[in-house]
Coordinates of all heavy atoms in Angstrom, one line a residue:
M278 N -89.0 137.5 124.2 CA -90.1 138.1 123.4 C -90.0 137.5 122.0 O -89.0 137.3 121.4 CB -89.8 139.6 123.3 CG -90.0 140.4 124.5 SD -91.8 140.5 125.0 CE -92.4 141.6 123.7
A279 N -91.2 137.3 121.4 CA -91.3 136.8 120.1 C -91.1 137.9 119.1 O -91.5 139.0 119.3 CB -92.7 136.1 119.8
D280 N -90.3 137.6 118.1 CA -90.1 138.6 117.0 C -90.3 137.9 115.7 O -90.3 136.7 115.6 CB -88.7 139.2 117.2 CG -88.6 140.6 116.6 OD1 -89.6 141.0 115.9 OD2 -87.6 141.2 116.8
E281 N -90.4 138.7 114.7 CA -90.6 138.2 113.3 C -89.8 139.0 112.3 O -89.7 140.2 112.5 CB -92.1 138.2 112.9 CG -92.3 137.5 111.6 CD -93.8 137.5 111.3 OE1 -94.4 138.5 111.0 OE2 -94.3 136.4 111.2
R282 N -89.2 138.3 111.4 CA -88.5 139.0 110.3 C -88.9 138.4 109.0 O -89.2 137.2 108.9 CB -86.9 138.8 110.4 CG -86.3 139.5 111.6 CD -86.2 141.0 111.4 NE -85.4 141.6 112.4 CZ -85.8 141.7 113.7 NH1 -87.0 141.3 114.1 NH2 -85.0 142.2 114.6
V283 N -88.9 139.2 108.0 CA -89.2 138.7 106.6 C -88.0 139.0 105.8 O -87.6 140.2 105.6 CB -90.5 139.4 106.0 CG1 -90.7 138.9 104.6 CG2 -91.7 139.2 106.9
F284 N -87.3 138.0 105.4 CA -86.1 138.1 104.6 C -86.4 137.8 103.1 O -87.3 137.0 102.8 CB -85.1 137.1 105.0 CG -84.6 137.2 106.4 CD1 -85.2 136.4 107.4 CD2 -83.7 138.1 106.8 CE1 -84.8 136.5 108.7 CE2 -83.3 138.2 108.1 CZ -83.8 137.4 109.1
T285 N -85.7 138.5 102.2 CA -85.7 138.2 100.8 C -84.5 137.3 100.5 O -83.3 137.8 100.8 CB -85.7 139.4 99.9 OG1 -86.9 140.2 100.3 CG2 -85.8 139.0 98.5
V286 N -84.7 136.1 100.1 CA -83.6 135.2 99.9 C -83.4 134.9 98.4 O -84.4 134.6 97.7 CB -83.8 133.9 100.6 CG1 -82.7 132.8 100.3 CG2 -83.9 134.2 102.1
H287 N -82.2 135.0 97.9 CA -81.9 134.8 96.5 C -81.3 133.4 96.3 O -80.5 133.0 97.1 CB -81.0 135.9 95.9 CG -81.6 137.2 96.1 ND1 -82.5 137.8 95.3 CD2 -81.3 138.1 97.1 CE1 -82.8 139.0 95.8 NE2 -82.2 139.2 96.8
G288 N -81.7 132.7 95.3 CA -81.1 131.4 95.0 C -82.0 130.2 95.2 O -81.6 129.1 94.9
M289 N -83.2 130.5 95.8 CA -84.1 129.4 96.0 C -84.8 129.1 94.6 O -85.4 130.0 94.1 CB -85.2 129.7 97.0 CG -84.8 129.8 98.4 SD -86.2 129.8 99.5 CE -86.9 131.5 99.2
S290 N -84.5 127.9 94.1 CA -85.1 127.7 92.7 C -86.2 126.7 92.7 O -86.8 126.5 91.7 CB -83.9 127.2 91.8 OG -83.3 126.1 92.4
C291 N -86.4 126.0 93.8 CA -87.5 125.0 93.9 C -87.9 124.8 95.3 O -87.4 125.3 96.2 CB -86.9 123.7 93.3 SG -85.6 122.9 94.3
T292 N -89.0 123.9 95.5 CA -89.5 123.6 96.8 C -88.4 123.0 97.7 O -88.4 123.1 98.9 CB -90.7 122.7 96.7 OG1 -90.4 121.6 96.0 CG2 -91.9 123.5 96.1
G293 N -87.5 122.2 97.0 CA -86.4 121.6 97.8 C -85.5 122.7 98.5 O -85.1 122.5 99.7
C294 N -85.3 123.8 97.8 CA -84.5 124.9 98.4 C -85.3 125.4 99.6 O -84.7 125.7 100.7 CB -84.3 126.0 97.4 SG -83.2 125.5 96.1
A295 N -86.6 125.7 99.4 CA -87.4 126.2 100.5 C -87.5 125.3 101.7 O -87.3 125.7 102.8 CB -88.8 126.5 100.0
D296 N -87.6 124.0 101.4 CA -87.6 123.0 102.5 C -86.3 123.0 103.3 O -86.3 122.9 104.5 CB -87.9 121.6 101.9 CG -89.3 121.4 101.5 OD1 -90.2 122.3 101.8 OD2 -89.6 120.4 100.8
R297 N -85.2 123.1 102.5 CA -83.9 123.1 103.1 C -83.7 124.3 104.0 O -83.2 124.2 105.2 CB -82.8 123.1 102.0 CG -81.4 123.0 102.5 CD -80.5 122.7 101.3 NE -79.1 122.7 101.8 CZ -78.1 123.2 101.1 NH1 -78.3 123.6 99.9 NH2 -76.9 123.1 101.6
I298 N -84.1 125.5 103.6 CA -84.0 126.7 104.4 C -84.9 126.5 105.6 O -84.5 126.9 106.8 CB -84.3 127.9 103.6 CG1 -83.1 128.2 102.6 CG2 -84.5 129.1 104.5 CD1 -83.4 129.3 101.7
E299 N -86.1 126.1 105.5 CA -87.0 125.9 106.6 C -86.3 124.9 107.6 O -86.3 125.2 108.8 CB -88.3 125.3 106.2 CG -89.2 126.4 105.4 CD -90.5 125.8 105.0 OE1 -90.7 124.6 105.1 OE2 -91.3 126.6 104.5
G300 N -85.7 123.9 107.1 CA -85.1 122.9 108.0 C -84.0 123.4 108.8 O -83.9 123.2 110.0
V301 N -83.0 124.1 108.1 CA -81.9 124.6 108.9 C -82.3 125.7 109.9 O -81.7 125.8 111.0 CB -80.7 125.1 107.9 CG1 -80.2 124.0 107.1 CG2 -81.2 126.3 107.1
L302 N -83.3 126.5 109.6 CA -83.7 127.5 110.5 C -84.5 126.9 111.7 O -84.3 127.3 112.8 CB -84.5 128.6 109.8 CG -83.8 129.5 108.8 CD1 -84.7 130.4 108.1 CD2 -82.7 130.2 109.5
Q303 N -85.3 125.9 111.4 CA -86.1 125.3 112.5 C -85.2 124.6 113.5 O -85.5 124.4 114.6 CB -87.1 124.3 111.9 CG -88.3 125.1 111.4 CD -89.2 124.3 110.5 OE1 -88.8 123.2 110.1 NE2 -90.4 124.8 110.2
R304 N -84.0 124.2 113.0 CA -83.0 123.5 114.0 C -82.4 124.5 114.9 O -81.7 124.1 115.9 CB -82.0 122.7 113.2 CG -82.5 121.4 112.7 CD -81.4 120.4 112.3 NE -80.7 120.8 111.2 CZ -81.0 120.6 109.9 NH1 -82.1 119.9 109.7 NH2 -80.3 121.0 108.9
L305 N -82.5 125.8 114.6 CA -81.9 126.8 115.6 C -82.8 126.9 116.8 O -84.0 127.1 116.7 CB -81.8 128.1 114.9 CG -80.7 128.4 113.9 CD1 -80.8 129.7 113.3 CD2 -79.3 128.2 114.6
E306 N -82.2 126.8 118.0 CA -82.9 127.0 119.2 C -83.5 128.4 119.3 O -82.8 129.4 119.0 CB -82.1 126.7 120.4 CG -82.9 126.5 121.6 CD -82.0 125.9 122.8 OE1 -80.9 125.5 122.5 OE2 -82.5 126.0 123.9
G307 N -84.8 128.5 119.5 CA -85.4 129.8 119.6 C -86.3 130.2 118.4 O -87.1 131.1 118.5
V308 N -86.1 129.4 117.3 CA -86.9 129.6 116.1 C -88.2 128.8 116.3 O -88.2 127.6 116.6 CB -86.2 129.2 114.8 CG1 -87.2 129.2 113.6 CG2 -85.0 130.1 114.6
T309 N -89.3 129.5 116.2 CA -90.6 128.9 116.5 C -91.4 128.6 115.2 O -92.2 127.7 115.2 CB -91.5 129.7 117.4 OG1 -91.6 131.0 116.9 CG2 -90.8 129.8 118.8
R310 N -91.1 129.4 114.2 CA -91.9 129.1 112.9 C -91.2 129.7 111.7 O -90.6 130.8 111.8 CB -93.3 129.8 113.1 CG -94.2 129.5 112.0 CD -95.6 130.1 112.3 NE -96.5 129.8 111.2 CZ -97.7 130.3 111.1 NH1 -98.2 131.1 112.0 NH2 -98.5 130.0 110.1
V311 N -91.2 128.9 110.7 CA -90.5 129.3 109.4 C -91.4 129.0 108.3 O -92.0 127.9 108.2 CB -89.2 128.6 109.2 CG1 -88.4 129.2 108.0 CG2 -88.3 128.6 110.4
N312 N -91.5 130.0 107.4 CA -92.2 129.7 106.1 C -91.3 130.3 105.0 O -91.1 131.5 104.9 CB -93.6 130.3 106.1 CG -94.3 130.0 104.8 OD1 -94.2 130.6 103.8 ND2 -95.0 128.9 104.9
A313 N -90.9 129.4 104.1 CA -90.1 129.8 102.9 C -90.9 129.6 101.6 O -91.4 128.5 101.5 CB -88.8 129.1 102.9
D314 N -90.9 130.6 100.8 CA -91.5 130.4 99.5 C -90.5 130.7 98.4 O -90.0 131.8 98.2 CB -92.7 131.4 99.4 CG -93.4 131.3 98.0 OD1 -93.8 130.1 97.7 OD2 -93.5 132.3 97.3
H315 N -90.2 129.6 97.6 CA -89.2 129.8 96.6 C -89.6 130.7 95.4 O -88.7 131.3 94.8 CB -88.7 128.4 96.1 CG -89.6 127.8 95.1 ND1 -90.8 127.1 95.5 CD2 -89.6 127.7 93.7 CE1 -91.4 126.7 94.4 NE2 -90.7 127.0 93.3
R316 N -90.9 130.8 95.2 CA -91.3 131.6 94.0 C -91.1 133.1 94.3 O -90.6 133.8 93.4 CB -92.8 131.4 93.7 CG -93.0 130.0 93.1 CD -94.5 129.8 92.8 NE -94.8 128.4 92.6 CZ -94.5 127.7 91.5 NH1 -93.9 128.2 90.5 NH2 -94.8 126.4 91.4
S317 N -91.5 133.5 95.5 CA -91.3 135.0 95.8 C -90.0 135.2 96.4 O -89.6 136.4 96.5 CB -92.4 135.4 96.8 OG -92.3 134.6 98.0
G318 N -89.3 134.2 96.9 CA -88.0 134.4 97.6 C -88.2 134.9 99.0 O -87.2 135.3 99.7
V319 N -89.4 134.8 99.5 CA -89.7 135.4 100.9 C -89.5 134.3 101.9 O -90.1 133.2 101.8 CB -91.1 136.0 100.9 CG1 -91.5 136.3 102.4 CG2 -91.2 137.2 100.1
V320 N -88.8 134.6 103.0 CA -88.6 133.7 104.1 C -89.1 134.4 105.3 O -88.5 135.4 105.7 CB -87.2 133.2 104.3 CG1 -87.1 132.3 105.5 CG2 -86.7 132.4 103.0
R321 N -90.1 133.9 106.0 CA -90.7 134.6 107.1 C -90.4 133.7 108.4 O -90.6 132.5 108.4 CB -92.2 134.7 107.0 CG -92.9 135.5 108.0 CD -94.4 135.5 107.7 NE -94.7 136.1 106.5 CZ -95.0 137.4 106.4 NH1 -95.2 138.2 107.5 NH2 -95.3 138.0 105.2
V322 N -89.8 134.4 109.4 CA -89.3 133.6 110.5 C -89.8 134.2 111.8 O -89.7 135.5 112.0 CB -87.7 133.6 110.6 CG1 -87.2 132.7 111.7 CG2 -87.1 133.2 109.3
R323 N -90.4 133.4 112.6 CA -90.7 133.9 114.0 C -89.8 133.2 114.9 O -89.4 132.1 114.8 CB -92.2 133.5 114.4 CG -93.2 134.3 113.7 CD -94.6 134.0 114.2 NE -94.8 134.4 115.6 CZ -95.0 135.7 116.0 NH1 -95.1 136.6 115.1 NH2 -95.2 136.0 117.3
F324 N -89.3 134.0 115.9 CA -88.3 133.5 116.8 C -88.3 134.3 118.1 O -88.9 135.3 118.2 CB -86.9 133.6 116.1 CG -86.5 135.0 115.7 CD1 -85.6 135.8 116.5 CD2 -87.0 135.6 114.6 CE1 -85.3 137.1 116.2 CE2 -86.7 136.9 114.2 CZ -85.8 137.7 115.0
N325 N -87.6 133.7 119.1 CA -87.5 134.3 120.4 C -86.2 135.1 120.4 O -85.1 134.5 120.3 CB -87.5 133.2 121.5 CG -87.4 133.8 122.9 OD1 -86.8 134.9 123.1 ND2 -87.9 133.1 123.8
E326 N -86.3 136.4 120.4 CA -85.1 137.2 120.3 C -84.1 137.1 121.4 O -83.0 137.6 121.3 CB -85.4 138.7 120.0 CG -86.3 139.3 121.1 CD -86.9 140.6 120.6 OE1 -86.6 141.0 119.5 OE2 -87.7 141.1 121.4
Q327 N -84.5 136.5 122.5 CA -83.6 136.2 123.6 C -82.7 135.0 123.4 O -81.7 134.8 124.0 CB -84.3 136.1 124.9 CG -84.5 137.5 125.6 CD -85.7 137.6 126.4 OE1 -86.4 136.7 126.7 NE2 -86.1 138.9 126.7
Q328 N -83.1 134.2 122.4 CA -82.4 132.9 122.2 C -81.6 133.0 120.8 O -80.6 132.3 120.7 CB -83.3 131.7 122.1 CG -83.9 131.4 123.4 CD -84.9 130.2 123.3 OE1 -86.0 130.4 122.9 NE2 -84.4 129.1 123.7
V329 N -82.1 133.8 119.9 CA -81.5 133.8 118.6 C -81.6 135.2 118.0 O -82.6 135.9 118.3 CB -82.1 132.7 117.7 CG1 -83.6 132.9 117.4 CG2 -81.4 132.5 116.4
S330 N -80.6 135.6 117.2 CA -80.6 137.0 116.7 C -80.9 137.0 115.2 O -80.7 135.9 114.5 CB -79.3 137.7 117.0 OG -78.3 137.1 116.2
E331 N -81.2 138.1 114.7 CA -81.3 138.2 113.2 C -80.0 137.8 112.5 O -80.1 137.2 111.5 CB -81.7 139.7 112.9 CG -81.9 139.9 111.4 CD -82.1 141.4 111.0 OE1 -83.0 142.0 111.7 OE2 -81.4 141.9 110.2
N332 N -78.9 138.2 113.1 CA -77.6 137.8 112.5 C -77.5 136.3 112.4 O -77.0 135.8 111.5 CB -76.4 138.4 113.4 CG -76.1 139.8 113.0 OD1 -76.5 140.3 112.0 ND2 -75.3 140.4 113.8
D333 N -77.9 135.6 113.5 CA -77.8 134.1 113.5 C -78.6 133.6 112.3 O -78.2 132.6 111.7 CB -78.4 133.6 114.8 CG -77.6 133.9 116.0 OD1 -76.4 134.2 115.9 OD2 -78.2 134.0 117.1
L334 N -79.8 134.2 112.1 CA -80.7 133.7 111.0 C -80.0 133.9 109.7 O -80.0 133.0 108.8 CB -82.0 134.4 111.1 CG -82.8 134.3 112.4 CD1 -84.1 135.2 112.4 CD2 -83.2 132.8 112.7
V335 N -79.5 135.1 109.5 CA -78.8 135.4 108.2 C -77.7 134.5 108.0 O -77.5 133.9 106.9 CB -78.4 136.9 108.2 CG1 -77.5 137.2 107.0 CG2 -79.6 137.8 108.1
E336 N -76.8 134.3 109.0 CA -75.6 133.5 108.8 C -76.0 132.0 108.5 O -75.4 131.4 107.7 CB -74.8 133.5 110.1 CG -74.0 134.7 110.3 CD -73.3 134.8 111.6 OE1 -73.3 133.8 112.4 OE2 -72.9 135.9 112.0
R337 N -77.1 131.6 109.1 CA -77.5 130.2 108.8 C -78.0 130.0 107.4 O -77.7 129.0 106.7 CB -78.6 129.8 109.8 CG -78.8 128.3 110.0 CD -77.6 127.7 110.6 NE -77.5 126.3 110.4 CZ -77.0 125.7 109.3 NH1 -76.6 126.5 108.3 NH2 -77.0 124.4 109.2
I338 N -78.8 131.0 106.9 CA -79.3 130.9 105.5 C -78.1 131.0 104.6 O -78.0 130.3 103.6 CB -80.3 132.1 105.2 CG1 -81.5 131.9 106.1 CG2 -80.7 132.1 103.8 CD1 -82.5 133.1 106.1
E339 N -77.1 131.9 104.9 CA -76.0 132.1 104.0 C -75.1 130.8 104.0 O -74.6 130.4 102.9 CB -75.2 133.3 104.4 CG -75.9 134.6 104.0 CD -75.1 135.9 104.5 OE1 -74.2 135.8 105.3 OE2 -75.5 136.9 104.0
S340 N -75.0 130.2 105.1 CA -74.1 129.0 105.2 C -74.8 127.8 104.5 O -74.1 126.9 104.1 CB -73.7 128.7 106.6 OG -74.8 128.3 107.3
A341 N -76.1 127.9 104.2 CA -76.7 126.9 103.4 C -76.6 127.2 101.9 O -77.0 126.4 101.1 CB -78.2 126.8 103.8
G342 N -76.0 128.3 101.6 CA -75.7 128.6 100.2 C -76.6 129.6 99.5 O -76.5 129.7 98.3
Y343 N -77.3 130.4 100.3 CA -78.2 131.4 99.7 C -77.8 132.8 100.1 O -77.2 133.0 101.1 CB -79.6 131.1 100.1 CG -80.0 129.7 99.7 CD1 -79.9 128.6 100.6 CD2 -80.5 129.4 98.4 CE1 -80.2 127.3 100.3 CE2 -80.9 128.1 98.1 CZ -80.7 127.1 99.0 OH -81.0 125.8 98.7
Q344 N -78.2 133.8 99.2 CA -77.9 135.2 99.6 C -79.2 135.8 100.2 O -80.3 135.5 99.7 CB -77.6 136.0 98.3 CG -76.2 135.6 97.7 CD -76.4 134.3 96.8 OE1 -77.3 134.3 96.0 NE2 -75.5 133.4 97.0
V345 N -78.9 136.6 101.2 CA -80.0 137.2 101.9 C -80.0 138.7 101.9 O -79.0 139.3 102.0 CB -79.9 136.8 103.4 CG1 -81.1 137.4 104.2 CG2 -79.9 135.3 103.6
T346 N -81.2 139.3 101.6 CA -81.4 140.7 101.7 C -82.0 140.9 103.1 O -83.1 140.4 103.4 CB -82.3 141.3 100.6 OG1 -81.7 141.0 99.4 CG2 -82.4 142.8 100.8
R347 N -81.3 141.7 103.9 CA -81.8 141.9 105.3 C -83.1 142.8 105.3 O -83.2 143.7 104.4 CB -80.8 142.6 106.1 CG -79.7 141.7 106.6 CD -78.6 142.5 107.2 NE -77.4 141.7 107.5 CZ -77.3 141.1 108.7 NH1 -78.1 141.3 109.7 NH2 -76.2 140.3 108.9
P348 N -84.0 142.5 106.2 CA -85.2 143.3 106.3 C -84.8 144.7 106.7 O -83.8 144.9 107.4 CB -86.0 142.6 107.3 CG -85.1 141.8 108.1 CD -83.9 141.4 107.2
T349 N -85.6 145.7 106.4 CA -85.3 147.0 106.9 C -85.7 147.1 108.4 O -86.7 146.5 108.7 CB -86.1 148.1 106.1 OG1 -87.4 147.6 105.9 CG2 -85.5 148.4 104.8
P350 N -84.8 147.6 109.2 CA -85.1 147.7 110.6 C -86.4 148.4 110.9 O -86.7 149.4 110.2 CB -83.9 148.4 111.2 CG -82.9 148.4 110.2 CD -83.6 148.3 108.8
R351 N -87.1 147.9 111.9 CA -88.4 148.6 112.3 C -88.1 149.4 113.6 O -87.3 149.1 114.4 CB -89.5 147.6 112.5 CG -90.0 147.0 111.2 CD -91.0 146.0 111.5 NE -90.4 144.8 112.2 CZ -91.1 143.7 112.5 NH1 -92.4 143.7 112.3 NH2 -90.5 142.7 113.1
Ligands
CU584 CU1 -84.0 124.0 94.8

């Protein structure tokens, strides 16, 4: 099933940061679409929840050096 999360990411200061986050997330199997905006700090991710979890996404962003505020569960 496709799912979507919107994360608030702290530490993105330029388009390079946004590109980097998009790149590392897109390399995860199961991630189908990523949009990161460094001005708002919003990272929107569409993914197949059978292949990748919200935890995987958070860990990947954090290991790239950014802090993540988890979305409120729906
Ligand atoms: Cu940057």
